[in-house]
Amino acid sequence: MDLRRIFTGMCTGAFVGFGVFTIWPSSLARWNWLGGWLAAGIIITTGWLVNHYASGMPNRGNGAWVDMALPIWLSALLGGTVILDPVNGLVRGAYGIFHGANTGAALMTIFLQLVGATLAGYLLYTMRRSDV
Amino acid sequence: MWTWQTVLTTIFGGLIFPLVIGLVWGKLADDYKSFGGVLAGFFIVGTIWLLNHGIGLMHEPQMSSSLPGPWSDMALAAFWGLFVADLIEGKKIDWEAIVSGLLGGVLGGLLLFAMV
């Protein structure tokens, strides 16, 4: 365990987690669905460059890949989302567990997302095995 | 309110995101280095976001309550799908990366909590 690497990954992970759930809902509020599409280009690409291209998150070659998606998902689950509304300024979009939002209400979504992702993981494994 | 239709669309939304990332992102980054990652951000995450959250393949009934949340983003599926694919392949769990990801999520959540 290298604490400095963990601390670096924590900061770069928090950067992308915070960035996604402020920039994304704000772009959506301003430019509708095109804003949602553009938000991926604004924040996900920058986050990927920092976390994975420049290895802010300490992934190793022989370890199972931990994507920056983990801090992204957890950020909104815990802290909710924030919108820079074109008319009303900075407003809250969603509440998180830190606000006391009802965690149980999201459990079914989380479970089904994990079911789909597990299937995808298996399909990816079989695809890689059959790669020539 | 959950129906078999929303169960099906949510599972499919969770399946398609890590599958496309796993199939395409690495190839783009191999071919075009950092610019490949930028292309992938737009064309994989942007486009699948439109399907999963814009149009709503992923059902999030908790968002229509008086205290909307907590939001479970499609990012969970991206992390879990890629992680599971590597685990089945026999790779080890890298705790350093996991801990830094979890701490990053907690710090990101605190920052979002502190904003408004």
Side-chain angles (χ1 to χ4, degrees):
Chain A
M1 286 269 185
D2 183 338
L3 288 179
R4 282 165 300 187
R5 294 288 329 257
I6 291 176
F7 185 70
T8 306
M10 178 179 98
C11 293
T12 56
F15 156 67
V16 72
F18 176 77
V20 164
F21 295 105
T22 47
I23 292 170
W24 214 305
S26 306
S27 302
L28 185 63
R30 187 170 285 273
W31 297 298
N32 214 321
W33 65 268
L34 183 63
W37 192 80
L38 287 174
I42 297 170
I43 180 64
I44 294 293
T45 57
T46 313
W48 177 81
L49 287 170
V50 175
N51 278 297
H52 297 317
Y53 191 71
S55 299
M57 284 191 71
N59 273 299
R60 288 201 181 87
N62 58 353
W65 181 257
V66 179
D67 200 84
M68 64 174 187
L70 173 61
I72 294 176
W73 169 72
L74 201 54
S75 293
L77 191 82
L78 296 175
T81 66
V82 173
I83 305 170
L84 182 58
D85 188 85
V87 180
N88 300 317
L90 214 54
V91 292
R92 182 148 290 282
Y95 295 90
I97 291 172
F98 287 157
H99 298 91
N102 176 14
T103 316
L107 283 183
M108 186 67 172
T109 308
I110 293 173
F111 172 72
L112 294 174
Q113 285 172 328
L114 290 176
V115 170
T118 306
L119 283 169
Y122 176 71
L123 292 178
L124 279 173
Y125 163 72
T126 54
M127 286 286 293
R128 282 179 200 163
R129 210 173 44 169
S130 60
D131 252 3
V132 251
Chain B
M1 184 67 183
W2 286 94
T3 61
W4 71 265
Q5 290 96 331
T6 51
V7 168
L8 177 70
T9 58
T10 306
I11 291 177
F12 182 76
L15 184 153
I16 199 67
F17 191 36
L19 186 64
V20 176
I21 290 176
L23 290 176
V24 181
W25 203 305
K27 287 193 196 304
L28 279 173
D30 284 347
D31 287 353
Y32 305 108
K33 306 285 176 198
S34 56
F35 184 63
V38 173
L39 287 177
F42 275 101
F43 290 103
I44 300 174
V45 185
T47 306
I48 294 179
W49 174 86
L50 281 174
L51 297 176
N52 276 341
H53 295 317
I55 289 163
L57 272 179
M58 283 183 175
H59 189 51
E60 312 248 7
Q62 74 277 17
M63 300 311 291
S64 54
S65 71
S66 56
L67 185 74
W71 177 252
S72 179
D73 197 75
M74 64 175 186
L76 173 63
F79 155 68
W80 187 249
L82 300 173
F83 189 66
V84 165
D86 277 0
L87 285 184
I88 301 175
E89 209 174 305
K91 290 190 176 178
K92 298 270 183 303
I93 294 179
D94 182 355
W95 288 106
E96 208 170 275
I98 297 255
V99 169
S100 78
L102 291 175
L103 289 176
V106 171
L107 178 59
L110 276 173
L111 292 169
L112 286 163
F113 175 73
M115 279 303 286
V116 253

